[in-house]
């Protein structure tokens, strides 16, 4: 590889790992009192119900997450998924969020708050404490269409 190509790759690496990122489709974080309402296995799988709890811990995604979260939670190398979950349950929730966002390099969050029950989720501005730029709300067109459709059905006599 030429010196010029190597310099270009080094510059690409530098920019890729230091340039601020925008999370362009995030979901709101649960309020502390609701942190255990959603199974943690949902982090690594779209399975639901018993299959989520039974099968997700055996996936490659879960194994990778276990390694990464073990480092984030300062657990020993080789910690199990169950050890990660147990540690997470005992860490102060705001501290846990700060740790998770801390090394991400996320400059701004575009928050899709169209999913979930608003009463169990942090509001949009709460997320600002973890980024340098304000969090912005994105609106799901499906949610708007559904609400408008319901209004039309209710307002239109049969």
């Amino acid at each position: 590889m030429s010196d010029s190509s190597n310099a270009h790759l080094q510059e690409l690496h530098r920019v890729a790992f230091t340039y601020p990122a925008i999370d362009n489709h995030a979901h709101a974080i649960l309020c502390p009192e609701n942190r255990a309402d959603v199974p943690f296995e949902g982090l690594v799988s779209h399975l639901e119900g018993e299959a989520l709890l039974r099968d997700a811990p055996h996936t490659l995604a879960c194994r990778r997450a276990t390694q990464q979260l073990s480092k984030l939670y300062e657990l020993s190398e080789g910690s199990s998924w169950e050890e990660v979950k147990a540690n997470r349950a005992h860490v102060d929730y705001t501290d846990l969020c700060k740790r998770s966002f801390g090394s991400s390099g996320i400059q701004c969050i575009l928050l899709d708050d169209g999913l979930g029950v608003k009463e169990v989720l942090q509001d949009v501005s709460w997320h600002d404490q973890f980024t340098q730029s304000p969090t912005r709300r994105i609106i799901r067109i499906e949610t708007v269409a559904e609400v408008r459709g319901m209004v039309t059905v209710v307002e239109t006599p049969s």
Side-chain angles (χ1 to χ4, degrees):
M1 183 179 295
S2 72
D3 288 342
S4 175
S5 294
N6 194 26
H8 281 72
L9 287 175
Q10 288 177 352
E11 177 63 7
L12 177 61
H13 183 273
R14 184 192 66 75
V15 169
F17 287 97
T18 62
Y19 200 81
I22 296 175
D23 187 338
N24 67 350
H25 191 158
H27 295 277
I29 293 177
L30 292 166
C31 294
E33 59 273 12
N34 302 100
R35 72 189 277 181
D37 290 359
V38 177
F40 194 47
E41 287 78 6
L43 176 73
V44 296
S45 176
H46 289 290
L47 292 170
E48 294 180 357
E50 185 181 320
L52 175 65
L53 300 176
R54 182 189 63 233
D55 298 334
H58 304 288
T59 63
L60 291 176
C62 187
R63 290 178 187 192
R64 177 66 180 227
T66 301
Q67 290 175 349
Q68 292 173 340
L69 292 170
S70 293
K71 288 178 187 173
L72 183 69
Y73 299 166
E74 300 173 350
L75 299 173
S76 60
E77 190 174 329
S79 294
S80 71
W81 179 248
E82 291 304 318
E83 290 170 316
V84 167
K85 284 177 47 175
N87 181 270
R88 175 185 173 267
H90 292 52
V91 174
D92 175 74
Y93 195 62
T94 301
D95 180 52
L96 184 64
C97 294
K98 285 179 185 173
R99 283 192 214 179
S100 298
F101 277 95
S103 62
S104 68
I106 295 174
Q107 173 79 24
C108 176
I109 302 170
L110 301 181
L111 191 68
D112 176 354
D113 66 351
L115 298 176
V117 179
K118 294 197 184 314
E119 292 76 31
V120 302
L121 302 174
Q122 297 287 8
D123 66 16
V124 173
S125 63
W126 180 87
H127 297 77
D128 292 348
Q129 64 186 302
F130 306 113
T131 60
Q132 293 179 14
S133 299
T135 301
R136 300 292 185 209
R137 179 176 181 230
I138 56 175
I139 300 172
R140 300 181 118 242
I141 193 68
E142 301 94 333
T143 305
V144 173
E146 183 177 302
V147 169
R148 288 179 98 44
M150 292 301 291
V151 169
T152 302
V153 169
V154 171
E155 290 178 349
T156 306
S158 306

